[in-house]
Amino acid sequence: MISSDLQAFRARILHFTSAPDIHTGAGVEYFDDGVLLVERGCVKALGRAEDLARQGLDLQSCRHYPEYVLMPGFIDTHVHYPQTRVIASYGEQLLDWLNDYTFPAEMQFSDPDVAAQAAQEFLQLLLQNGTTTAMVYTSVFAQSTHAFFSAAEKMNLRMIAGKVMMDRNAPAGLLDTPSSSEAECRELIEAWHQHKRLHYAITPRFAPTSSPEQLAIAGQLLRAYPNLYLQSHLAENIDEVAWITQLFPRARNYVDVYDHYGLLGERSVFGHGIHLSDAEIARLAHTQTGIAFCPTSNLFLGSGLLDMARLEQAGVPLSIATDVGGGTSFSQLRTLSEAYKILQLQGQRLHPLKGFYMATLGNAKALKLDQRIGNFEKGKEADFILLNMKATPLQAMRQQSATQLIEQLFALMMLGDEHSIARTYIMGKLAFRRAEGDVLWVE
């Protein structure tokens, strides 16, 4: 028998040890009948069931899910928790969408009760979709950031988040000031950064909504505290890029605006990065500043098609993200499906191994969290999901005719969604399960 501190999960198990070689399969570990051992919330061992049985494991003590694929939880590198209720709002591109839908929705987060309820709903939606870690925008109201971190702490989630800094070009009720944003950010950092499984991100919404004075403060804060993150938006929309030239006439380009204030670096992640010059891409690569690819948002808002190959060839770190509410799904499976189509339109490919790597270990690396999460190396935190490959009649039909793992994963990537997530575990504890089409939350 196994001890009370040790849990054993037996299933088909997939994870990545490094970026996969799609030709040789190097970097990929797959066990058709595997066991994951979890002790006190962390990975103790991973291996073939028969090998672990020979080492003394009683397979009858395992929680056995032979029909499911067990893999690390998904990671989302760019998402907005106040925008959940305006997802799928009709008819606008970026700048009008912000004014017509996003800003009015975020005004409601001045109410602490609204913020607290929304945080709970948002985190439950993440778990329902198999996402166990995310880099999250809150709102300009500091109490909404407290509400988010408080809810994440109660669920024992590894999350990155930050208060939006925004002191111009938005409704008056949503504006802070350089000094108030500095004071509020400092208080939030000291309360939550590196507290348990939580991290803080300096979060100027994007350069048009922050004055030069506020961007300078963002850079000062980034340098004042160890291991902070920076998140913002970059070159999402053509009109946005044109606006930058009016607001910052002395800047050489959009990237130069952020660079001038010390906001680039290996712990900085900018959403989108669609409309970039060669010089901007070179600077991102040199500073190892990350870009979050947000396919469903880019399509929904008509922003454009990310040239992923161009960024990768230059050496820019890339991750995959939902960007809810501009994005139209919390599901990383749907997100990967749309990414595949965007790349197809440009003569590029997204191999399923690369897609699932990006959503797990790749995104962990992009967030500098790969020493803690992203795969099943011994000692890492055991955040993982069980995937039902036959969650719908169509998926079941397609999987029945898929004979190779790559084909099965590709079909899952193209046809899967939140219904494919059977269970979500946080540090070895069941946090969400789906039963007979119903959503059941585990307290």
Side-chain angles (χ1 to χ4, degrees):
M1 297 294 292
I2 58 178
S3 72
S4 59
D5 291 330
L6 190 66
Q7 299 168 280
F9 300 88
R10 184 180 180 186
R12 299 165 61 191
I13 300 178
L14 172 72
H15 82 139
F16 298 90
T17 57
S18 64
D21 185 319
I22 63 174
H23 302 293
T24 67
V28 183
E29 278 196 325
Y30 174 70
F31 302 91
D32 189 56
D33 183 12
V35 173
L36 175 69
L37 293 179
V38 177
E39 186 173 45
R40 296 187 179 91
C42 294
V43 175
K44 181 176 178 62
L46 173 71
R48 296 167 59 199
E50 60 183 45
D51 292 342
L52 290 173
R54 280 197 293 268
Q55 296 171 26
L57 177 67
D58 177 9
L59 294 180
Q60 296 302 312
S61 65
C62 296
R63 300 176 187 181
H64 195 195
Y65 305 102
E67 298 299 317
Y68 293 158
V69 171
L70 189 156
M71 66 185 300
F74 295 138
I75 299 167
D76 191 342
T77 61
H78 184 98
V79 63
H80 301 255
Y81 110 80
Q83 296 180 18
T84 304
R85 295 183 183 182
V86 296
I87 192 171
S89 294
Y90 174 73
E92 305 290 358
Q93 293 200 347
L94 174 64
L95 299 180
D96 288 332
W97 191 83
L98 286 172
N99 287 315
D100 293 346
Y101 299 117
T102 300
F103 291 155
E106 293 188 7
M107 288 284 287
Q108 299 174 33
F109 282 68
S110 62
D111 184 333
D113 292 336
V114 169
Q117 182 179 352
Q120 182 76 14
E121 292 171 348
F122 173 84
L123 291 170
Q124 288 179 341
L125 282 164
L126 290 186
L127 295 175
Q128 180 183 344
N129 283 270
T131 297
T132 53
T133 291
M135 193 175 198
V136 181
Y137 291 66
T138 67
S139 78
V140 73
F141 305 108
Q143 55 81 20
S144 74
T145 313
H146 281 297
F148 176 83
F149 279 129
S150 179
E153 179 189 28
K154 288 177 183 175
M155 296 183 184
N156 196 28
L157 300 175
R158 186 162 291 286
M159 289 283 158
I160 305 167
K163 181 197 106 68
V164 169
M165 303 171 73
M166 184 164 62
D167 68 341
R168 65 173 180 172
N169 293 324
L174 282 178
L175 297 181
D176 57 12
T177 68
S179 60
S180 70
S181 63
E182 178 181 13
E184 289 172 342
C185 286
R186 287 186 182 276
E187 191 266 332
L188 287 161
I189 292 164
E190 290 167 11
W192 295 109
H193 183 51
Q194 297 180 331
H195 171 71
K196 297 185 178 178
R197 304 185 75 201
L198 305 173
H199 311 265
Y200 195 83
I202 301 300
T203 309
R205 175 175 230 111
F206 65 158
T209 53
S210 284
S211 65
E213 293 78 12
Q214 187 170 69
L215 292 174
I217 284 171
Q220 292 165 13
L221 288 169
L222 198 60
R223 293 184 290 275
Y225 294 90
N227 299 320
L228 284 179
Y229 291 89
L230 182 287
Q231 60 180 347
S232 192
H233 297 78
L234 172 66
E236 178 178 359
N237 174 280
I238 291 291
D239 291 340
E240 168 207 4
V241 174
W243 196 15
I244 288 292
T245 64
Q246 299 171 21
L247 294 171
F248 298 91
R250 295 184 180 180
R252 287 172 290 185
N253 50 51
Y254 201 160
V255 168
D256 189 50
V257 173
Y258 293 122
D259 198 7
H260 178 76
Y261 296 104
L263 303 183
L264 305 184
E266 63 177 13
R267 300 179 77 85
S268 298
V269 178
F270 289 88
H272 308 292
I274 301 171
H275 307 287
L276 294 170
S277 66
D278 290 345
E280 289 175 293
I281 290 174
R283 184 59 182 158
L284 293 174
H286 180 75
T287 57
Q288 283 297 282
T289 300
I291 292 293
F293 179 16
C294 307
T296 72
S297 173
N298 297 161
L299 292 173
F300 179 73
L301 294 175
S303 300
L305 307 180
L306 183 82
D307 188 342
M308 193 164 86
R310 180 176 176 232
L311 294 173
E312 287 184 322
Q313 288 165 8
V316 176
L318 273 174
S319 56
I320 190 86
T322 65
D323 192 27
V324 167
T328 53
S329 176
F330 281 89
S331 171
Q332 282 287 33
L333 296 173
R334 287 191 176 187
T335 300
L336 291 172
S337 175
E338 296 308 298
Y340 177 85
K341 297 166 193 173
I342 283 176
L343 298 181
Q344 279 280 73
L345 286 169
Q346 301 173 87
Q348 300 174 31
R349 300 288 183 270
L350 181 61
H351 192 279
L353 289 179
K354 182 174 182 179
F356 282 100
Y357 167 79
M358 289 182 73
T360 56
L361 182 59
N363 274 5
K365 287 181 179 292
L367 297 177
K368 304 301 175 187
L369 289 175
D370 53 302
Q371 296 303 308
R372 300 176 183 268
I373 57 174
N375 67 5
F376 296 135
E377 288 181 5
K378 184 176 181 179
K380 287 193 178 180
E381 297 160 353
D383 294 345
F384 60 92
I385 56 179
L386 288 172
L387 288 157
N388 180 359
M389 308 288 276
K390 302 176 181 179
T392 67
L394 179 60
Q395 289 183 55
M397 185 184 303
R398 181 63 184 92
Q399 291 293 340
Q400 190 172 10
S401 64
T403 58
Q404 301 295 321
L405 175 65
I406 300 305
E407 189 180 9
Q408 294 166 355
L409 290 175
F410 183 67
L412 175 66
M413 188 172 91
M414 300 309 296
L415 300 176
D417 56 20
E418 63 271 26
H419 299 97
S420 303
I421 309 301
R423 296 183 177 222
T424 302
Y425 290 82
I426 299 298
M427 293 197 75
K429 293 185 178 180
L430 183 64
F432 163 78
R433 67 185 175 95
R434 191 183 306 276
E436 298 179 358
D438 294 325
V439 173
L440 301 177
W441 298 109
V442 178
E443 298 297 336

